[in-house]
Amino acid sequence: MKKLISAFIASVLSVSALSAVSATAVKIPETNKYTVSTSNIENDTVVDETIIPAGSVAVTVNINNNYGFSVSATKLNIGEFADVVVDEEGCPVVTKGDVLDDFITASAVKDGTIVVSSASDKKTNKDGEMFTIYVAENYSGVSVKDITNESVLIKTDTEANPNAATAYRYKIGNVNNDQYINAVDATTVLRATSMFKDKNPDDPDKIFTVSLANEYIDEYFPNILSARVADTNKNGIINKADANNILKFYSYVSTGHTIEETYKELSVEEDNYCSEVIIVVVEDI
């Protein structure tokens, strides 16, 4: 049941946050300061149906002086020979801490680089534990970097179709229409689903379909012309699964997977079609 991935990256023992603000002469405290704590797993433990073997090291990322966020993305580089515990899909097993209680989370690993991304329709201001990953063998250290505000990725080239004034080209998952698929898009989907529930308080089981979203597209998704862009598994329904798909796609590409190989793997194995091109014709909305 246990799956391991050998990580290949130089061991770095220091921990820093990209968004930290250096203290000045007036001793302004650092905001969003990340630290790492570790503990040993004494007995075999099951986390989300994956065995964490005895002797593993639990690596926990903590945050202090949290200024508040609704999306986050954290990149970790682990030791040269570290073996990360992964789930059936080959993603690092992640346990959320109190800071991310209300968040959905996705993770990916490639060549010793781990990315954990999170999104919520609410903002968190908590300090404390963000998340924990697990290293089964050969842990020697970790470096941590906040990449939330980095636009590293996934240019989507959304544009009008030059052959028809009423047809527009989008990529699934780019619900903000900003040429990037990232955790902000996942938050947008979560907020739209919350808005839909608020609009239907007497019918909590009512399904948020693409067609219903299109009736109020300016309210739910003001930057796109069709809610098909948010339906990442193409099942005609918009829900948390679509936001999870966006986070997973983002995490994969952030670790260094190409868009093409990420799409190929996730679309075949998980019905995750982020980055697939769709054409939206205005008259059909």
Side-chain angles (χ1 to χ4, degrees), residues 192-193 196-197 200 205-217 220-221 226-231 233 235-239 242:
T193 59
F196 180 79
K197 290 180 180 179
N200 298 277
D205 296 325
K206 189 172 184 178
I207 297 174
F208 189 30
T209 63
V210 169
S211 59
L212 286 175
N214 279 334
E215 291 181 14
Y216 301 94
I217 191 68
Y220 293 124
F221 302 108
S226 173
R228 288 171 55 204
V229 181
D231 183 17
N233 54 15
N235 68 351
I237 299 170
I238 300 171
N239 55 25
D242 296 300

Side-chain angles (χ1 to χ4, degrees), residues 69-82:
F69 58 83
S70 59
V71 298
S72 68
T74 309
K75 181 179 287 187
L76 301 91
N77 291 332
I78 61 176
E80 182 178 358
F81 300 106

Side-chain angles (χ1 to χ4, degrees), residues 216-251:
Y216 301 94
I217 191 68
D218 289 342
E219 182 176 352
Y220 293 124
F221 302 108
N223 297 311
I224 55 179
L225 294 173
S226 173
R228 288 171 55 204
V229 181
D231 183 17
T232 62
N233 54 15
K234 298 198 290 189
N235 68 351
I237 299 170
I238 300 171
N239 55 25
K240 186 164 70 172
D242 296 300
N244 265 315
N245 276 351
I246 291 171
L247 282 183
K248 182 161 287 189
F249 183 88
Y250 169 75
S251 296

Side-chain angles (χ1 to χ4, degrees), residues 149-177:
N149 296 319
E150 290 187 6
S151 295
V152 275
L153 313 180
I154 324 166
K155 200 166 184 178
T156 60
D157 298 324
T158 301
E159 59 185 19
N161 187 324
N163 298 318
T166 58
Y168 294 82
R169 180 177 180 269
Y170 294 95
K171 287 193 176 181
I172 293 175
N174 183 27
V175 294
N176 288 342
N177 195 19

